[in-house]
Amino acid sequence: MFELLAKDGAARRGELTLPHGKVQTPVFQAVGTYGTVKAMTPRDLRDCGTQMLLGNTFHLMLRPGDKRIRDLGGLHKFMQWDGPILTDSGGFQVFSLGDLRKMTEHSVVFRSPVNGDKVELTPESSIQVQGNLGSDVVMVLDECTAHPATYEQANASMELSMRWAARCKTTFENTQAGSMNPGSKLFGIVQGGMFEDLRSESLQNLQQIEFDGYAIGGLSVGESKEDMIRVLNHITPEMPEHKPRYLMGVGTPEDLVRAVGRGVDMFDCVMPTRNGRNGYLFTSAGVVKIRNAQHRNADVALDENCNCYTCSHFSRAYLHHLDRCGEMLGAMLMTQHNLHYYHQLMAQLRASIETGTFRNLATSLQNQWNCDHELV
Ligand SMILES: [Zn+2]
């Protein structure tokens, strides 16, 4: 399922084989919350270099409903994306509901933000929902540990997540036996908050249950950059070499380079798409905020070193104008550029690992971006 093609220091170049195709890693997954990456057609996604999408279980199970999607032929057919899709477990969104949810050993119960209905999510139902969607990579249901958390809180939360991980594995195997979703993979999620020993214990627990890949959860939840780097430095060397490693919900271009350098293979984040819609654009010369008045008369490309559709055709002045008018095309063009930027960055990182020049590339990006924290 995962082939390690090259290594440069701790950085890894690999290939994931999934039911809907092969994925070159390190990879950035675009986030398709409601069965769509906002403002992007599947054709646009392919054109800007997207290999794999993330679908949000929580949103899709509430609307239009996972059984409806299954009966319509699965998420791939429904949204006309024929590449691999990873689905999250729904847990992260449920825990973000705060007081509107109730946790027990058995499940988490919440009120649907769509119609107020009471909904119960169990480790078993999360796996079944992801099976109904037809996911290529299924994630276990875990509790995203609150931040900040005491040692006792982080420990109790991690232990619950490990018990749930075992229940997810059992359900996944039974579901696969029914061949609802042949060839799909199941990933476990390392929790443990900011505590190194809990992170190690969580990983060991998951390895005993055995998963196809291992994710690092509970980062990018409001902790300092130093804490994120410390946890990554600790846990990545302990992760199994021949299984894919996925850092969930991260991050900025800097975070991606830093984590690739520590041996992470997969990422997802709403940053390029959400920021793109808001006129916050990543370019080779740093961040451009297209709303600023300085772009009103700028008859130049957004990024002269970018060959995306947006940069090949339109001026900063035009993007500024579209944004000012709240035009849909502005969101579309700016999202295309930001995703293209992220995918190009990952392609550069992959190439540098193949040629053994990762460190040189990271150092030059660090100077180019003027980073506060070292990338390598
Ligand atoms: Zn561009």
Side-chain angles (χ1 to χ4, degrees):
M1 176 235 172
F2 180 69
E3 196 186 345
L4 202 51
L5 303 174
K7 278 191 79 176
D8 183 6
R12 298 138 58 90
R13 169 79 181 88
E15 187 177 77
L16 271 175
T17 304
L18 297 169
H20 288 83
K22 290 184 187 297
V23 173
Q24 305 307 315
T25 67
V27 63
F28 179 81
Q29 306 166 85
V31 178
T33 306
Y34 287 100
T36 162
V37 176
K38 291 187 200 303
M40 297 285 283
T41 66
R43 186 177 55 198
D44 294 337
L45 287 170
R46 283 286 182 204
D47 287 351
C48 77
T50 306
Q51 301 186 70
M52 183 167 180
L53 299 186
L54 179 143
N56 281 126
T57 292
F58 173 80
H59 295 292
L60 293 170
M61 71 185 271
L62 297 177
R63 192 170 51 185
D66 51 292
K67 292 198 176 84
R68 178 167 290 133
I69 290 178
R70 178 196 63 196
D71 294 345
L72 289 164
L75 184 57
H76 292 83
K77 174 165 180 281
F78 188 51
M79 68 183 288
Q80 285 296 300
W81 170 257
D82 61 5
I85 297 176
L86 176 147
T87 47
D88 64 8
S89 67
F92 186 78
Q93 279 82 16
V94 173
F95 296 113
S96 311
L97 294 173
D99 294 342
L100 297 171
R101 49 135 172 110
K102 188 166 178 288
M103 284 280 306
T104 61
E105 178 68 30
H106 178 67
S107 70
V108 55
V109 177
F110 61 97
R111 290 269 171 205
S112 160
V114 176
N115 57 15
D117 284 356
K118 211 178 205 183
V119 185
E120 182 176 45
L121 192 65
T122 65
E124 291 77 14
S125 69
S126 171
I127 299 299
Q128 280 152 3
V129 168
Q130 296 179 70
N132 287 340
L133 297 175
S135 171
D136 291 84
V137 177
V138 172
M139 300 301 299
V140 298
L141 181 66
D142 62 344
E143 185 187 25
C144 189
T145 307
H147 182 80
T150 64
Y151 186 87
E152 287 67 32
Q153 288 166 336
N155 187 33
S157 167
M158 181 274 284
E159 287 182 345
L160 175 69
S161 289
M162 297 305 103
R163 292 192 293 275
W164 282 11
R167 285 165 60 186
C168 287
K169 175 75 187 283
T170 305
T171 308
F172 182 78
E173 285 181 333
N174 295 340
T175 307
Q176 284 232 310
S179 76
M180 199 196 309
N181 193 12
S184 64
K185 307 296 175 193
L186 180 67
F187 282 22
I189 305 175
V190 177
Q191 290 288 352
M194 301 302 144
F195 303 99
E196 279 116 325
D197 62 324
L198 296 182
R199 289 279 174 180
S200 296
E201 194 182 323
S202 176
L203 177 61
Q204 284 159 18
N205 262 302
L206 294 172
Q207 284 187 263
Q208 273 162 18
I209 304 169
E210 278 202 305
F211 289 95
D212 298 308
Y214 295 90
I216 304 165
L219 289 182
S220 210
V221 289
E223 78 281 9
S224 68
K225 203 59 92 182
E226 286 82 0
D227 274 343
M228 185 201 271
I229 296 170
R230 178 173 57 78
V231 171
L232 276 181
N233 282 345
H234 172 77
I235 200 66
T236 46
E238 296 184 2
M239 297 179 87
E241 177 94 346
H242 293 283
K243 296 282 176 80
R245 305 161 175 180
Y246 166 28
L247 179 54
M248 303 181 79
V250 175
T252 63
E254 281 186 41
D255 292 331
L256 301 186
V257 177
R258 199 175 280 123
V260 165
R262 286 159 173 79
V264 175
D265 308 301
M266 302 167 70
F267 302 88
D268 81 274
C269 190
V270 294
M271 191 166 276
T273 41
R274 181 181 290 163
N275 286 4
R277 295 195 300 281
N278 290 313
Y280 186 103
L281 303 162
F282 298 97
T283 78
S284 59
V287 168
V288 168
K289 293 175 185 162
I290 206 70
R291 273 173 207 174
N292 288 353
Q294 68 188 91
H295 303 303
R296 191 179 297 158
N297 298 311
D299 191 20
V300 293
L302 169 58
D303 183 347
E304 52 193 22
N305 295 316
C306 178
N307 62 358
C308 83
Y309 176 72
T310 304
C311 294
S312 319
H313 292 84
F314 305 98
S315 65
R316 288 188 183 193
Y318 183 61
L319 296 174
H320 174 87
H321 160 72
L322 292 177
D323 183 73
R324 274 293 170 96
C325 300
E327 280 293 337
M328 282 183 279
L329 183 60
M332 293 160 68
L333 294 176
M334 294 191 289
T335 304
Q336 279 190 49
H337 165 79
N338 265 3
L339 274 181
H340 183 271
Y341 179 87
Y342 265 61
H343 294 321
Q344 273 300 115
L345 173 64
M346 300 314 283
Q348 265 186 298
L349 295 173
R350 288 195 295 271
S352 77
I353 298 168
E354 284 170 7
T355 52
T357 54
F358 174 80
R359 182 168 276 274
N360 293 347
L361 174 61
T363 307
S364 93
L365 290 172
Q366 183 175 309
N367 296 333
Q368 197 179 316
W369 294 338
N370 227 341
C371 303
D372 292 334
H373 298 85
E374 292 198 340
L375 293 183
V376 284

